Amino acid sequence: MQARTAGRKHRSIRYAKWGYLFIAPFFIAFAVFQLIPLASTVYYSFFEYFRSGLKEIGPNFVGLKNYAELFRTDLPKYFGNTLLMWIIGFVPQIAVSLLLAAWFTDTRLRLRGQGFFKTVIYMPNLIMASAFAMLFFALFSDNGPVNAALVSAGFLEEPFRFLSSVAGTRGLVGLMNFLMWFGNTTILLMAAVMGIDPGLYEAAEIDGCTPGQMFRRITLPLIRPILVYVVITSMIGGLQMFDVPQILTNGKGSPDRCATTMIMYLNNHMYSKNYGMAGAVSTVLFLVCAVLCIAVLKTLDRSQEGGAGK
């Protein structure tokens, strides 16, 4: 009897290999297109490797020289520019998206034409960033239609030079990022809100809760995972900001390099074929993204623990 049982166990079919087979293409593609290039970038960041005319210098190992030289430049300023322009666009984006998600998912409001409005708010996300930047460049130029309308209405005595002022340039970049991405964020938050059990709202309404209390006490805590996802992905995308300020300022980040981002700074090194410094900038950017993501996760976890304690 024991021999038969052992034979059956020996002949049992194991399906684990098929699971590994199905997930293998992802890991192979990840290793070839992301992991190996990332390791190569970190490796070359410790080398002197650039072109001088037609002559190629290196790769010569220099240790942390590239990083030391990097922090003697204006890298902190470019990081501040990037973070500030992301915040200018993200704060109204998350506020408007939460408001729209609450409206569109509230059955008591009975809003008409929801499909039309959802399509309209999502459409800017389908426009290429380069086309969006060129459109804003034409609209907000010194002789553009926005200045013409403001002067004609009497709000301004003379055209305001948006692209020649620090606040105007950063504000335009933040506005474009807001318009391009708030539709996508709204759809994500709507999906999260629609996943909440309607019975919770019905019970809260019977208990006399106001809409604001239900939003703060029910909606926000239960959509926290999607909020974390939105914040982290938006922050990573914001730190990688490139196309909008690059096209809007013609690659100069003017005035006074107030719109120069970290990726624009990285692009300058790639254009000059300074691969060692480019690798150092990429590595610093990767570490900054990782640290900020961990900080956001810890902050949200602490706030959740505090809310649970109350």
Side-chain angles (χ1 to χ4, degrees):
M1 187 68 179
Q2 293 180 353
R4 290 181 181 179
T5 304
R8 290 176 182 175
K9 290 183 179 179
H10 181 73
R11 291 193 300 269
S12 61
I13 301 175
R14 296 182 179 180
Y15 296 98
K17 61 179 180 180
W18 299 109
Y20 291 119
L21 183 63
F22 286 133
I23 65 176
F26 166 78
F27 285 101
I28 294 172
F30 175 79
V32 172
F33 295 106
Q34 294 191 27
L35 187 60
I36 294 176
L38 176 62
S40 176
T41 299
V42 176
Y43 174 78
Y44 280 112
S45 68
F46 298 103
F47 286 79
E48 180 185 50
Y49 189 20
F50 62 93
R51 286 183 181 274
S52 179
L54 298 177
K55 184 179 180 182
E56 185 174 295
I57 309 299
N60 302 317
F61 182 77
V62 293
L64 297 176
K65 179 182 177 181
N66 288 331
Y67 293 93
E69 184 177 348
L70 190 64
F71 284 99
R72 285 196 295 265
T73 63
D74 289 335
L75 182 67
K77 176 180 179 178
Y78 301 146
F79 172 71
N81 292 341
T82 308
L83 196 60
L84 179 60
M85 289 188 291
W86 170 69
I87 292 173
I88 292 173
F90 179 73
V91 171
Q93 172 189 328
I94 194 67
V96 173
S97 297
L98 279 171
L99 181 62
L100 291 176
W103 280 352
F104 286 141
T105 55
D106 194 340
T107 56
R108 296 170 300 175
L109 295 179
R110 298 180 181 178
L111 296 177
R112 297 181 179 179
Q114 289 192 29
F116 170 77
F117 289 112
K118 292 174 186 177
T119 303
V120 169
I121 64 175
Y122 190 78
M123 281 183 64
N125 192 47
L126 304 177
I127 303 175
M128 292 180 61
S130 56
F132 219 78
M134 290 299 297
L135 175 63
F136 267 64
F137 183 84
L139 289 175
F140 290 90
S141 62
D142 296 346
N143 299 320
V146 173
N147 268 317
L150 292 175
V151 172
S152 299
F155 293 108
L156 297 176
E157 295 181 358
E158 59 182 14
F160 180 75
R161 305 183 67 184
F162 287 96
L163 299 176
S164 298
S165 67
V166 174
T169 303
R170 288 174 173 172
L172 287 180
V173 174
L175 178 61
M176 279 186 282
N177 285 322
F178 160 70
L179 291 176
M180 284 192 300
W181 292 105
F182 87 98
N184 181 70
T185 304
T186 301
I187 299 300
L188 289 173
L189 295 179
M190 283 179 58
V193 175
M194 292 172 67
I196 300 175
D197 184 5
L200 295 175
Y201 293 105
E202 294 174 1
E205 189 174 3
I206 292 173
D207 290 339
C209 291
T210 63
Q213 290 175 330
M214 287 189 285
F215 181 76
R216 292 192 305 271
R217 302 290 185 177
I218 299 176
T219 304
L220 286 181
L222 292 180
I223 65 171
R224 186 183 299 271
I226 299 298
L227 281 175
V228 172
Y229 171 80
V230 168
V231 171
I232 290 179
T233 54
S234 177
M235 182 173 58
I236 293 174
L239 292 176
Q240 295 177 349
M241 192 186 309
F242 172 72
D243 41 10
V244 169
Q246 174 78 9
I247 296 173
L248 189 67
T249 64
N250 198 23
K252 299 177 182 178
S254 56
D256 193 27
R257 296 171 296 167
C258 70
T260 302
T261 63
M262 293 185 69
I263 298 296
M264 291 172 67
Y265 183 58
L266 169 63
N267 184 65
N268 293 335
H269 288 299
M270 294 298 294
Y271 183 77
S272 63
K273 307 297 183 183
N274 193 336
Y275 302 116
M277 287 294 292
V281 176
S282 300
T283 304
V284 170
L285 182 60
F286 173 78
L287 294 175
V288 167
C289 287
V291 170
L292 289 178
C293 289
I294 293 172
V296 168
L297 287 173
K298 287 187 175 181
T299 302
L300 291 173
D301 286 342
R302 289 175 183 174
S303 64
Q304 186 175 11
E305 290 175 0
K310 292 180 182 179

